[in-house]
Amino acid sequence: MPTSSQAALLLIDMQQESRYGIEGVEEAVANAQMVIAACRTAGVPVAYTRHVNRRDGIGVSVGEVFDGEGLPVYYRAGTDAITILGPIKPQPEDVVIDKHRWSGFHDTSLDMALRSLGVRELFIGGFTTDCCVLTSVYDAYARDYRVSLVVDMCAATNLGSHQAAILIMANWVYGIEILTAAELTKKVSGEPYRSWRATAPDQKQFTAESLTASYESLF
């Protein structure tokens, strides 16, 4: 029988495939380890998504890349690529959701699982910031979850994409909270912590020239 919880940790696509082409994977995984430990101690449920492409190509996204044998190149079912990274592997009590599109909520049972646990707030991180994390955050917001985005538990293929995605979410996910892994561990432990929270739309406007300065103003 599931217990009721107002918050859950949601880790997006932190899989073996993600070791290739993403900057800052090791740091994000180390931060995720710290956050997972704090959440387990505090009794906060932990949920994972795994991106999976069927070997036969059924149901894969339009434009997905295939190899010379007609098999999906990325996140192919039946390979180690879809496995959650070892240091943060799920435990038997965790929720693990397989998905076939960018968002963890699209045509999956994620929302149902979270609601059955009584979850109304999500602590979110994972890969990549500008793709599966961003779309999952927007879909969580569309389902009326409160979102706390853990910036250093996310990573993208380059720093500019990471920073831009964080700022876009800061601007348009009303009420979003943005914080670091160290501050989230304090939050779940009931200690004083620091974060940035949106109080109005489009607060962190940025240009190509001001991207980094706008990003750093969050902290």
Side-chain angles (χ1 to χ4, degrees):
M1 187 76 176
T3 57
S4 178
S5 174
Q6 285 296 307
L9 174 63
L10 178 58
L11 300 170
I12 304 294
D13 300 359
M14 300 187 84
Q15 298 165 256
Q16 296 278 6
E17 186 78 77
S18 303
R19 291 178 300 177
Y20 306 102
I22 299 176
E23 292 183 358
V25 168
E26 292 78 11
E27 179 186 0
V29 170
N31 287 328
Q33 283 183 279
M34 175 174 61
V35 169
I36 291 168
C39 286
R40 295 200 194 285
T41 298
V44 174
V46 180
Y48 298 77
T49 67
R50 301 191 314 170
H51 198 83
V52 180
N53 286 322
R54 284 178 53 130
R55 294 177 64 87
D56 58 12
I58 293 175
V60 303
S61 300
V62 173
E64 188 62 61
V65 181
F66 290 85
D67 65 17
E69 298 178 357
L71 298 171
V73 171
Y74 302 111
Y75 298 100
R76 185 191 305 164
T79 69
D80 290 341
I82 66 170
T83 304
I84 303 295
L85 289 161
I88 54 170
K89 65 181 180 181
Q91 298 301 302
E93 67 272 18
D94 296 335
V95 175
V96 180
I97 302 292
D98 286 348
K99 66 184 185 65
H100 308 288
R101 292 295 186 271
W102 302 153
S103 170
F105 290 93
H106 182 81
D107 278 352
T108 74
S109 60
L110 178 58
D111 186 48
M112 180 176 65
L114 294 172
R115 291 186 187 279
S116 75
L117 290 167
V119 171
R120 299 308 313 142
E121 179 179 10
L122 291 172
F123 310 142
I124 300 181
F127 307 139
T128 60
T129 319
D130 55 336
C131 185
C132 296
V133 172
L134 183 147
T135 52
S136 297
V137 165
Y138 272 110
D139 276 358
Y141 174 62
R143 289 162 175 78
D144 295 328
Y145 290 96
R146 299 186 302 276
V147 175
S148 294
L149 181 62
V150 189
V151 289
D152 55 356
M153 203 168 67
C154 300
T157 56
N158 62 82
L159 181 59
S161 294
H162 170 79
Q163 291 179 340
I166 295 293
L167 288 170
I168 288 167
M169 288 183 274
N171 283 334
W172 300 115
V173 178
Y174 296 174
I176 192 172
E177 181 179 45
I178 296 178
L179 71 174
T180 64
E183 296 303 319
L184 179 59
T185 60
K186 297 176 187 177
K187 176 176 178 173
V188 300
S189 301
E191 302 173 18
Y193 71 97
R194 295 178 56 200
S195 67
W196 180 89
R197 189 181 294 275
T199 57
D202 209 15
Q203 283 180 268
K204 293 294 179 180
Q205 296 183 18
F206 63 95
T207 64
E209 292 74 24
S210 68
L211 172 60
T212 297
S214 295
Y215 176 79
E216 291 178 349
S217 72
L218 292 168
F219 312 104

